[in-house]
């Protein structure tokens, strides 16, 4: 498995989320991490980004302006 050279903090910044929101996604998806600076495996980064985009798409179709809805 390759590495995406992205950290949790970088994904949060790139998608205008708090680090805590991305850490919550990691927990929900079962993605292991030590800190927000943890470099992610390529498949893990793709899964997190896919989840973010999916949630934004669902939110946009509901008219909420793109906010992430966490369960």
């Amino acid at each position: 498995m390759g590495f995406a050279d992205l950290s949790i903090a970088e994904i949060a910044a790139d998608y205008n989320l708090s680090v805590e929101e991305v850490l919550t996604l990691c927990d929900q998806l079962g993605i292991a991490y030590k800190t927000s600076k943890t470099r992610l495996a390529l498949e893990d980064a793709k899964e997190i980004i896919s989840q973010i985009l999916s949630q934004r798409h669902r939110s946009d179709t509901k008219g909420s302006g793109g906010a992430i809805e966490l369960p």
Side-chain angles (χ1 to χ4, degrees):
M1 182 182 304
F3 282 83
D5 199 30
L6 286 173
S7 70
I8 292 166
E10 290 169 330
I11 290 174
D14 288 348
Y15 290 91
N16 296 320
L17 298 172
S18 69
V19 169
E20 291 75 23
E21 287 174 301
V22 179
L23 292 175
T24 298
L25 282 174
C26 288
D27 292 338
Q28 290 172 356
L29 297 168
I31 296 170
Y33 61 89
K34 291 186 180 193
T35 70
S36 63
K37 294 182 181 185
T38 297
R39 294 285 179 198
L40 298 167
L42 179 59
E43 291 303 315
D44 291 342
K46 286 170 47 178
E47 183 64 26
I48 292 167
I49 292 167
S50 176
Q51 187 73 14
I52 292 167
L53 296 175
S54 174
Q55 289 178 0
R56 284 193 175 165
H57 177 72
R58 285 194 303 263
S59 294
D60 285 346
T61 60
K62 290 180 184 177
S64 67
I68 299 295
E69 296 176 16
L70 299 175

